[in-house]
Amino acid sequence: MDNITIFTEFLLMDISSSRELQILQGLLFLVIYLGALTGNLITGTVIAIDPHLHSPMYFFISNLSLIDLCCISISVPKLIVNSLTGSKSISLNECAAQIFFYIFFASIELAFLVVMSYDRYVAICHPLHYGLTITPRLCTQAAGASWACGLVYSAIHTGNMFRLPFTKSNVIHQYFCDVPQVMRISSSDVQFSESVILAVSACIVLVCFAFLSMSYINIFSTVLSMHSVEARNKALSTCTPHLVIFVLFVVSGLIAVLGPVANKASLKNLLTAMFYIMVPPFINPIIYSLRNRGINSALGKIFHRYFKFPSRKFS
């Protein structure tokens, strides 16, 4: 019987063997990470402390901020530490945790984006029935179902991918553990079963995409039929950020799933990885603060309340 090596630790990719470039890379990741944390924490805090934002739409936005905060915290801190220390190793358990939580939060975000499209559809196309349809109880049930489905879906994926030992290789040609790279070094049985799961997942994503597309077709049809310019702009200000975030989520997901599997260190691979794990959590709070009138107004009130300098009277 041939000797078989079972790997319990993986080696991640480096962009360069130069320590100066590794440190620069780590500092760049740290700045982006802190910016994403700050933006999402501010968004969630503003929604929590402003009573005018205690509505279903902002309830879902606060959940998205929490999801984005968690998403960028899955792999980026490890990436920063590895870049600053020059380490490339990651344990089997850490790799499994990265895969599990990334799939977990990505699937929850998709579910919330679909729920938010229905929320905007009812608010714009059937405003008189909004209070009766989108109730606090329904919002809580939709949020709970999204988190529960994400948990089950991620457990199925991760359990399948890590059910057999890794004997082919322990080299991951990426800066963190992601599904294509782990599948590349998995056994043929795991690759086949994971391909079946991914095919079923693709069908579910297409159904979600079709539901969301139909919602926005009806939304824009209603908006274009509005005679009041002010009502039209108000409707667009509430649904445009959600649509932009959905497009960003789809593009980053397609890059993650359909992009070429990296087999060597390069600046292109680094930028691709940065785009789909760092850019959406970093950009989403900016989109909401710039395009959403409610959050923009609440931020202005908080700024004036806490950063207003007292005026001095001179006699």
Side-chain angles (χ1 to χ4, degrees):
M1 185 175 180
D2 296 334
N3 291 329
I4 297 177
T5 302
I6 298 177
F7 298 104
T8 58
E9 190 177 62
F10 301 117
L11 296 178
L12 300 174
M13 182 186 289
D14 266 339
I15 185 174
S16 172
S17 58
S18 169
R19 283 297 299 139
E20 290 78 9
L21 285 178
Q22 290 176 3
I23 293 174
L24 182 62
Q25 168 188 310
L27 294 176
L28 174 63
F29 291 158
L30 180 61
V31 170
I32 296 174
Y33 179 63
L34 293 177
L37 285 185
T38 303
N40 285 290
L41 284 174
I42 289 176
T43 301
T45 303
V46 167
I47 293 173
I49 66 177
D50 193 325
H52 297 95
L53 301 182
H54 293 174
S55 64
M57 181 179 74
Y58 295 105
F59 169 76
F60 295 129
I61 291 177
S62 64
N63 273 270
L64 277 184
S65 296
L66 175 61
I67 293 168
D68 285 335
L69 191 151
C70 294
C71 264
I72 200 170
S73 298
I74 295 168
S75 55
V76 175
K78 177 70 174 179
L79 187 55
I80 295 171
V81 172
N82 283 358
S83 298
L84 296 179
T85 61
S87 173
K88 298 194 300 180
S89 63
I90 184 171
S91 68
L92 177 65
N93 291 335
E94 287 178 315
C95 186
Q98 283 191 358
I99 293 287
F100 174 82
F101 285 112
Y102 185 78
I103 296 175
F104 177 51
F105 289 114
S107 56
I108 295 173
E109 182 162 357
L110 175 61
F112 267 100
L113 290 173
V114 172
V115 172
M116 289 177 70
S117 70
Y118 179 70
D119 171 76
R120 291 299 84 206
Y121 164 75
V122 177
I124 295 173
C125 299
H126 304 284
L128 298 179
H129 299 92
Y130 183 77
L132 298 175
T133 305
I134 310 297
T135 61
R137 181 180 179 183
L138 179 64
C139 294
T140 304
Q141 290 175 343
S146 299
W147 286 85
C149 290
L151 179 64
V152 174
Y153 179 73
S154 181
I156 293 173
H157 265 292
T158 311
N160 176 68
M161 294 181 67
F162 290 87
R163 63 188 173 89
L164 295 177
F166 293 86
T167 58
K168 288 184 178 180
S169 171
N170 70 333
V171 178
I172 294 179
H173 297 300
Q174 186 54 279
Y175 307 95
F176 54 93
C177 287
D178 67 346
V179 174
Q181 284 294 326
V182 175
M183 282 185 63
R184 183 183 62 83
I185 61 176
S186 299
S187 66
S188 56
D189 290 341
V190 170
Q191 290 176 352
F192 174 77
S193 56
E194 187 65 19
S195 299
V196 174
I197 295 175
L198 288 174
V200 176
S201 303
C203 297
I204 296 174
V205 171
L206 286 176
V207 171
C208 294
F209 182 78
F211 180 85
L212 196 144
S213 300
M214 290 302 300
S215 297
Y216 269 96
I217 289 173
N218 291 322
I219 286 172
F220 284 115
S221 297
T222 303
V223 169
L224 292 176
S225 64
M226 293 178 178
H227 300 290
S228 172
V229 177
E230 182 179 356
R232 187 182 304 168
N233 291 335
K234 184 178 179 181
L236 289 175
S237 70
T238 61
C239 65
T240 303
H242 171 260
L243 185 59
V244 172
I245 287 174
F246 174 72
V247 171
L248 187 62
F249 176 83
V250 170
V251 171
S252 61
L254 290 176
I255 291 175
V257 176
L258 302 179
V261 180
N263 53 17
K264 64 178 181 177
S266 68
L267 181 61
K268 178 183 177 182
N269 294 333
L270 175 65
L271 295 177
T272 302
M274 284 180 61
F275 181 83
Y276 72 83
I277 68 169
M278 296 186 191
V279 171
F282 182 81
I283 294 293
N284 288 354
I286 299 175
I287 295 174
Y288 277 125
S289 62
L290 291 178
R291 292 295 302 164
N292 189 285
R293 291 183 178 181
I295 294 179
N296 216 342
S297 175
L299 280 172
K301 291 177 183 178
I302 293 174
F303 181 83
H304 288 297
R305 183 188 306 169
Y306 293 102
F307 298 96
K308 185 177 182 181
F309 296 97
S311 58
R312 296 182 178 179
K313 294 183 179 180
F314 299 93
S315 56

